[in-house]
Structures are given as structure tokens and as C-alpha cells.
Amino acid sequence: MNTLIIYTHPNHSSLCYSFLQKTLKGMRENSNIKEIKVLDLYEEGFNPALVFNKDKRRRDMHKDPDLKKYRDQIIQADKIVFIYPIWWGRPPAMLLGYIDQIFSTNFAYKNVGKIMPEGLLKGKSVVCISTMKGPEILYPLLILRNSHKRSMEKLVFNFVGIKDVKFFEFGNMENPKGKHTKKLEKVYQYFQQISS
């Protein structure tokens, strides 16, 4: 299995970075995982801003040479792991800008004249690991009605043909009693044991 980790946090002293390290540790101890690639969007200097003009058209994004290496990373990956914080009830703008540009028409999906387009990334799986300041139950479920999970799963991943989507959504992460060690261990064990 080939894996691609897309890490989206500007601080390498953050809890998200600890989740990245635990994910890598678990993957490196798993004989089912053949290749591990890490894309750190902030370290990479990825530009999340969409630019469209007479020379750069939206319908041609799937063949933009500046984005080719990112498309190739997605193609080569069997499992894509996203690690990011939840800010204002959603992933960082950096990650959303990446999705806007890379999951483009004629690369991630194509319009086939039906109500729904055809997803072109079938057979891949996704794991989302996210952290948030608020509590895991009250804030995402009762106040936001699980909007983060629903939008990522239904409006992004299912839309492009990825049906196997797992979430680790951890709350209370700025609280010293947030059970950080237990949550980090849960992620580590998951990646140490997965077979597909």
C-alpha cells in the first residue's frame, strides 16, 4: 500500500505535528505499507489562492504543469491521510485551497451528462485526523451538526469517487486534561495495524 500524508499546520511544535509523528511511526512499523510520502503544505509554500485569467482557465486546471506533481502524488497513493486543525468549524484555508486546485474537473471527477459527475479517484481511501479546541460532542455534533465531517466526506471525497473515509476528530485539545497521550496512541495503533 502506498500512502500520502497531507499535513496542514504552520507550527511544527503543534499537537497536529505530534499526530503526524505518531502516524509516521505507526506506518513505518506496518509491513503492509510500502511507500510513505509526506506533503507539508506550509513548508512546501503551497499557494492556496485560485487564479483564473485569460492564460489560466479553470477548465484547464487538470493539466496545469505547476500542479502536476501534486496530481501525481494523489494518483500514486492508495491511502491519503489528511492531518489538520479545525478552525472556525472547517479545515484551514491552505487545505481547502489545495483541494480546490488539485481535485479538479477531468482529474478527480468528470461531468458525464447526469445529475452527479463520475468520480475518478475510485479505489482510494482517506483518513482525516483533525484537532479542535472545543469539545468533541457538544461543538461538532450539536452546534455544527457534524458539518465538517459531512462536507469533507460527501462534498469532497464521495464526490470524487472515494467511498472509504475514516475520521479521527479530537476535541478539547487545548485543555491539559484533553487525553492527548491516549489520542496519539489511538492514531499510532491504527496505522500500525491497518492492512488496506
Side-chain angles (χ1 to χ4, degrees):
M1 173 176 23
N2 294 333
T3 60
L4 170 64
I5 302 171
I6 300 169
Y7 175 76
T8 313
H9 197 292
N11 185 354
H12 282 193
S13 298
S14 68
L15 192 55
C16 276
Y17 194 72
S18 297
F19 277 107
L20 171 62
Q21 297 309 309
K22 285 293 187 179
T23 298
L24 286 168
K25 185 176 188 314
M27 284 184 174
R28 289 176 180 141
E29 294 175 11
N30 187 331
S31 61
N32 295 308
I33 296 175
K34 304 300 178 209
E35 183 176 83
I36 304 166
K37 287 187 180 173
V38 178
L39 170 60
D40 183 332
L41 291 175
Y42 282 96
E43 196 171 76
E44 177 92 3
F46 184 83
N47 182 0
L50 284 170
V51 175
F52 300 130
N53 53 42
K54 63 184 177 76
D55 300 318
K56 199 165 186 158
R57 298 179 304 182
R58 186 167 195 262
R59 66 176 171 252
D60 295 332
M61 259 192 330
H62 69 285
K63 51 189 178 184
D64 185 330
D66 295 335
L67 303 175
K68 183 181 186 308
K69 77 172 184 177
Y70 304 112
R71 292 191 301 269
D72 289 346
Q73 289 171 345
I74 294 287
I75 289 167
Q76 292 162 10
D78 302 303
K79 184 175 289 295
I80 306 164
V81 179
F82 294 87
I83 302 174
Y84 55 92
I86 301 286
W87 291 334
W88 295 103
R90 57 158 180 72
M94 174 70 83
L95 179 55
L96 296 176
Y98 169 88
I99 290 169
D100 284 347
Q101 293 178 71
I102 308 308
F103 286 38
S104 60
T105 308
N106 296 319
F107 170 70
Y109 67 95
K110 68 178 177 181
N111 295 308
V112 290
K114 298 180 181 177
I115 295 174
M116 292 296 290
E118 178 185 348
L120 300 177
L121 300 180
K122 296 179 184 117
K124 298 183 184 298
S125 62
V126 161
V127 177
C128 291
I129 303 167
S130 59
T131 61
M132 70 182 102
K133 179 179 178 179
E136 292 171 30
I137 303 296
L138 177 68
Y139 188 67
L141 291 180
L142 299 180
I143 296 173
L144 294 180
R145 302 183 190 276
N146 243 353
S147 62
H148 158 250
K149 283 185 184 177
R150 282 196 330 244
S151 65
M152 291 296 279
E153 182 175 14
K154 303 292 183 194
L155 302 179
V156 178
F157 303 125
N158 290 175
F159 191 86
V160 299
I162 300 172
K163 303 299 183 191
D164 184 358
V165 183
K166 179 168 181 60
F167 288 90
F168 290 98
E169 193 173 66
F170 298 117
N172 290 320
M173 298 317 283
E174 290 186 20
N175 185 331
K177 297 178 182 177
K179 302 180 182 176
H180 301 150
T181 303
K182 183 178 178 182
K183 293 169 181 177
L184 288 162
E185 186 65 18
K186 183 176 182 178
V187 166
Y188 160 69
Q189 287 183 5
Y190 174 80
F191 286 105
Q192 186 190 43
Q193 297 169 12
I194 56 169
S195 58
S196 62

